[in-house]
Each structure stands twice: as C-alpha cells, then as structure tokens.
Amino acid sequence: ERLSLRRLMPRLAEATKDDKKHLPWLKLARFGNERTDKNSLRHNANVLGISGVEGDYDHEITTVDEACEIVRAAGLAAVVYTSPSHTEDAPRWRVLCPLSRDYDAAERDAMIARLNGVFRGALSDESHTLSQSYYYGSVKRSPSHRVEIVDGDYLDRRADLDASAVGRPKSVPPVARDA
C-alpha cells in the first residue's frame, strides 16, 4: 500500500511484538507474483519498481539524533527509526528516503549510493540488496524505540549527491598475515 512518511510514522511507532520474528516487514517497493522455490515473493527478480530506499545501520556508534542531523544537513526528507535490536548503548536504526515518483528497480543502486554517501559509507551491506525488506517496530514495547521525521527534498531530486555517492563495498580478498 502507498503511504506518505507522515502516515507511515504511527505504524512504525506503534508496532510491537514479543519477538522480532513476529513484527511486520517494510519495503519501499512493489513486488510481482513470481515466487521462489521456497514460496517467497521477496527476491530481486520480483521487484517491479521502487518508491524510496531503505538504509540499514548496525555499527552501534551513530545515534538516532546524529542520524537525523546528518539527514537534515543533507537537506533530505526521511524517516529514521530504531531497529528492533536497538539499545541506547548499541544504536541500530534504519533510514527511509522517499522518491518523488516510482522508478524502475534498476535505478535503486544509484539512489542507495546517494544515501550511503550522505552517511559516508556507513550503511550496512544489505542496504544495497534490491529486495531486502526490514522488520519495523519494537520488541516488548522497548522504551528505546523511536521514530523521527526529517523534512527536506526527495532523494531522486538531489543529483548533486552523486558526487559523494558510495556504492556497495567490493569484496576484497583477505590479506595474508606475516607468520
């Protein structure tokens, strides 16, 4: 279903379950009807289009307030919400950036690279996976659960961010250690 960030916020804030595995999923994309061998609709080949991008942050250093300030300084519209595994001592969060219109799935790499550049490459690798969906809400009504909105421009209208875009990290072979 299609919702504005402001209409999505209450869902993000109010969803709570006793276990993360029972929380709802979120993806700013449309999926088709092609199922995998495991009967899943969530796979890259089944993404028909995107309406925004999701960034996942798991490094446990940058706080939600700092993430909001980074997005605000970049002038982007976004929602930042804590992930179900977030704690005050180990911050984990997600950032959702809407697009001004729907785009073909092939455009997602460029859009997530723009957002990752805003965060200087700190978004988790799975943020670059086309079909990656995310749980939202809190586990057992965690008092640390937060949802914040930042007003600004649509990500797709910010071609200036291409200069600092950071794509998916390339895998690097391990370096041999001296014996």
Side-chain angles (χ1 to χ4, degrees):
E1 92 188 87
R2 194 176 227 1
L3 297 172
S4 70
L5 291 182
R6 291 197 191 290
R7 292 199 53 215
L8 179 61
M9 281 185 62
R11 289 188 187 188
L12 298 174
E14 295 165 10
T16 190
K17 296 290 181 182
D18 288 337
D19 186 295
K20 174 182 171 178
K21 294 176 187 171
H22 294 107
L23 287 169
W25 289 88
L26 173 74
K27 180 67 183 169
L28 302 178
R30 287 180 298 108
F31 288 90
N33 295 317
E34 185 180 322
R35 294 187 179 272
T36 65
D37 294 344
K38 294 181 180 179
N39 204 31
S40 176
L41 294 170
R42 286 183 293 113
H43 59 93
N44 289 351
N46 201 36
V47 177
L48 302 177
I50 61 168
S51 58
V53 296
E54 316 81 11
D56 185 43
Y57 176 84
D58 290 332
H59 297 293
E60 302 180 349
I61 298 168
T62 303
T63 66
V64 169
D65 289 333
E66 290 167 332
C68 289
E69 192 49 44
I70 289 167
V71 171
R72 190 173 290 108
L76 292 174
V79 165
V80 178
Y81 70 94
T82 54
S83 66
S85 56
H86 166 84
T87 66
E88 295 303 316
D89 294 332
R92 291 174 169 235
W93 43 263
R94 308 227 168 85
V95 56
L96 308 175
C97 283
L99 303 174
S100 66
R101 63 178 179 83
D102 287 352
Y103 281 84
D104 185 73
E107 300 294 323
R108 189 174 186 283
D109 285 346
M111 295 298 144
I112 192 64
R114 283 182 186 178
L115 183 59
N116 197 25
V118 167
F119 287 99
R120 297 184 178 178
L123 297 179
S124 299
D125 186 52
E126 56 269 19
S127 301
H128 298 274
T129 301
L130 176 60
S131 61
Q132 181 69 47
S133 301
Y134 296 97
Y135 290 112
Y136 68 88
S138 69
V139 175
K140 298 180 181 178
R141 300 202 183 279
S142 168
S144 296
H145 183 61
R146 291 181 55 195
V147 180
E148 302 292 336
I149 193 163
V150 178
D151 291 319
D153 297 328
Y154 289 108
L155 183 63
D156 59 313
R157 294 190 176 162
R158 295 294 306 279
D160 60 303
L161 296 175
D162 288 341
S164 59
V166 177
R168 176 176 243 147
K170 305 284 188 245
S171 64
V172 179
V175 176
R177 294 184 181 191
D178 293 336

